[in-house]
Amino acid sequence: MHRNPLLLASSSRYRHELLARLGLPFSNASPDINETPLTGESPDDLALRLAESKARALASLYPEHWIIGSDQVAALPDGTLLSKPGNYSNACEQLARSSGQSVIFLTGLALLDASSGTLQTHCEQFTAHFRNLSAGEIDAYIRKEEPYDCAGSFRMEGLGITLFRELQGRDPNSLIGLPLIALTDMLTAWGRNPLLEP
């Protein structure tokens, strides 16, 4: 049976490491898209649009591939979006605003068959309930992990777990950036069950 090669539309080492856990061969490439939110766009619509845009951005270059696009949006209860902080001061501000709050993480996922244009999409929601964090805890955490390239200013797979009092959601991998349960569902729906791959 012919199997379309898989392409991860991302240069993120976190997503690369997650996808590798499924044991399927894949390559990756970095899409070039505008990630600016549209006026009035909801966080879940933004996550889905960006995931699909990443997949479609590479379709002409990889016309025989199944392309996986994913993007994450984090939002405070008042709807304020939390982006990748980029530096120490922004990370401090984000964690101070998240302290004691329930932050919703929405991870958009798209699987595009570039050869046919067929598309599957899904938005995975995960809620992180932050502990009440002191300024000293925030400073210590940021200096230890420097999570400047992570939406929400923490690394779930590292010391970031100490920031939370509770986590709610189906797939903790979505907090790192790629919802593997939903992706397995999508791949299986198209006849590629990771457990039954040769």
Side-chain angles (χ1 to χ4, degrees):
M1 177 188 293
H2 171 71
R3 297 200 176 278
N4 297 64
L6 293 177
L7 177 75
L8 177 63
S10 176
S11 58
S12 164
R13 65 181 176 93
Y14 308 113
R15 290 192 177 100
H16 190 280
E17 290 168 2
L18 285 172
L19 183 54
R21 289 172 55 185
L22 295 186
L24 301 172
F26 70 94
S27 54
N28 67 285
S30 182
D32 182 19
I33 66 165
N34 183 346
E35 300 190 16
T36 305
L38 302 176
T39 303
E41 189 172 34
S42 68
D44 53 336
D45 285 343
L46 172 61
L48 280 169
R49 179 175 63 82
L50 294 179
E52 181 179 344
S53 295
K54 286 181 175 181
R56 292 195 183 281
L58 296 173
S60 63
L61 297 174
Y62 299 89
E64 300 301 319
H65 285 65
W66 286 359
I67 306 175
I68 301 162
S70 186
D71 203 276
Q72 185 181 75
V73 175
L76 290 166
D78 65 3
T80 302
L81 298 182
L82 300 175
S83 59
K84 296 175 183 177
N87 59 49
Y88 172 84
S89 61
N90 288 342
C92 283
E93 180 185 356
Q94 282 197 3
L95 287 181
R97 294 186 69 182
S98 298
S99 175
Q101 301 289 319
S102 296
V103 179
I104 296 174
F105 290 82
L106 299 148
T107 307
L109 177 66
L111 180 62
L112 173 68
D113 181 344
S115 62
S116 69
T118 307
L119 177 73
Q120 295 184 67
T121 60
H122 174 77
C123 188
E124 190 76 28
Q125 180 171 318
F126 204 95
T127 304
H129 303 278
F130 280 77
R131 295 192 300 110
N132 289 312
L133 303 169
S134 69
E137 288 173 320
I138 290 171
D139 173 75
Y141 171 71
I142 293 171
R143 291 188 187 281
K144 286 178 180 178
E145 286 212 316
E146 300 182 344
Y148 305 138
D149 61 345
C150 302
S153 302
F154 67 88
R155 290 202 172 98
M156 170 64 183
E157 67 277 26
L159 194 59
I161 193 66
T162 63
L163 304 175
F164 312 122
R165 60 178 175 80
E166 185 181 353
L167 296 170
Q168 287 181 316
R170 179 175 75 143
D171 188 351
N173 298 298
S174 65
L175 266 187
I176 305 173
L178 188 64
L180 294 181
I181 293 175
L183 180 57
T184 298
D185 291 342
M186 289 180 173
L187 291 168
T188 301
W190 283 359
R192 293 200 67 178
N193 183 333
L195 290 174
L196 301 179
E197 284 282 302

